[in-house]
Amino acid sequence: PFMLRVPGLQTKSQPKSAFSLLNLSPTLLDALQIEVPTDFLGKSCWARMKEGIGWDEPAIIECVSGCTNPFWPQQRTGPRILGVRDSRYKLILHFDESRELMFDLEVDPRELSPLPVDADRPIRRRLLDHARAHLAAKQNESARLRARIRDIRLECAKPVA
């Protein structure tokens, strides 16, 4: 869950909308009234949060399969896993195995029993479309360059033994 306490803001009940970490920086910057860079992949949810209004956009979860420490360069490469989650469903794409799993989180909150591939096809399609749009946005060359520069900075910041 994403919880944010802002002094002086009246407490409102928040909907159970999925919140993507891609939206964290834009939302915090917006709350601080700092301009959000246009090249951020996420967008601010601040206005809706202040009003207690939900949103329908699914959250993106992305990681490297088997990565336990992203600060180790050897663990930052490898097969990717991409998750797309809305308030009820979660679709997980395992790129190394070319498989997808979808869970109904209301019925199976521990994600123990994936739904059959032919179940809830319109929902699966919507989540897949969102995953495709996210992957297409990531193909932007400047985003890849910025990520590599970030990796180099992390490697340079390591203490010399």
Side-chain angles (χ1 to χ4, degrees), residues 41 129-141 143-144:
L41 290 178
D129 288 344
H130 196 76
R132 281 190 191 106
H134 170 74
L135 292 172
K138 284 190 65 169
Q139 292 301 317
N140 180 326
E141 190 63 38
R144 276 191 275 159

Side-chain angles (χ1 to χ4, degrees), residues 64-65 67 72-80:
V64 176
S65 180
C67 177
W72 294 345
Q74 65 273 22
Q75 289 202 7
R76 287 196 300 263
T77 59
R80 302 281 182 193

Side-chain angles (χ1 to χ4, degrees), residues 17-38:
S17 299
F19 187 85
S20 178
L21 287 179
L22 290 171
N23 298 332
L24 180 60
S25 292
T27 300
L28 293 176
L29 289 172
D30 196 12
L32 294 169
Q33 299 177 349
I34 297 172
E35 187 175 338
V36 178
T38 57

Side-chain angles (χ1 to χ4, degrees), residues 48-143:
R48 292 180 160 273
M49 292 171 88
K50 285 193 307 187
E51 296 301 320
I53 301 169
W55 49 88
D56 293 328
E57 184 176 331
I60 294 289
I61 305 103
E62 192 170 6
C63 64
V64 176
S65 180
C67 177
T68 58
N69 188 337
F71 290 102
W72 294 345
Q74 65 273 22
Q75 289 202 7
R76 287 196 300 263
T77 59
R80 302 281 182 193
I81 298 173
L82 179 71
V84 184
R85 183 188 190 280
D86 66 13
S87 58
R88 180 171 179 175
Y89 293 94
K90 183 178 189 180
L91 179 70
I92 302 172
L93 305 170
H94 292 267
F95 293 110
D96 60 335
E97 302 170 13
S98 296
R99 72 181 171 123
E100 63 183 63
L101 302 171
M102 190 166 88
F103 298 92
D104 181 339
L105 300 174
E106 284 183 8
V107 176
D108 182 18
R110 295 178 59 203
E111 302 175 26
L112 299 174
S113 302
L115 296 170
V117 176
D118 59 344
D120 297 308
R121 305 253 331 146
I123 294 162
R124 185 181 297 266
R125 169 61 46 209
R126 183 174 68 82
L127 295 176
L128 273 171
D129 288 344
H130 196 76
R132 281 190 191 106
H134 170 74
L135 292 172
K138 284 190 65 169
Q139 292 301 317
N140 180 326
E141 190 63 38
S142 65

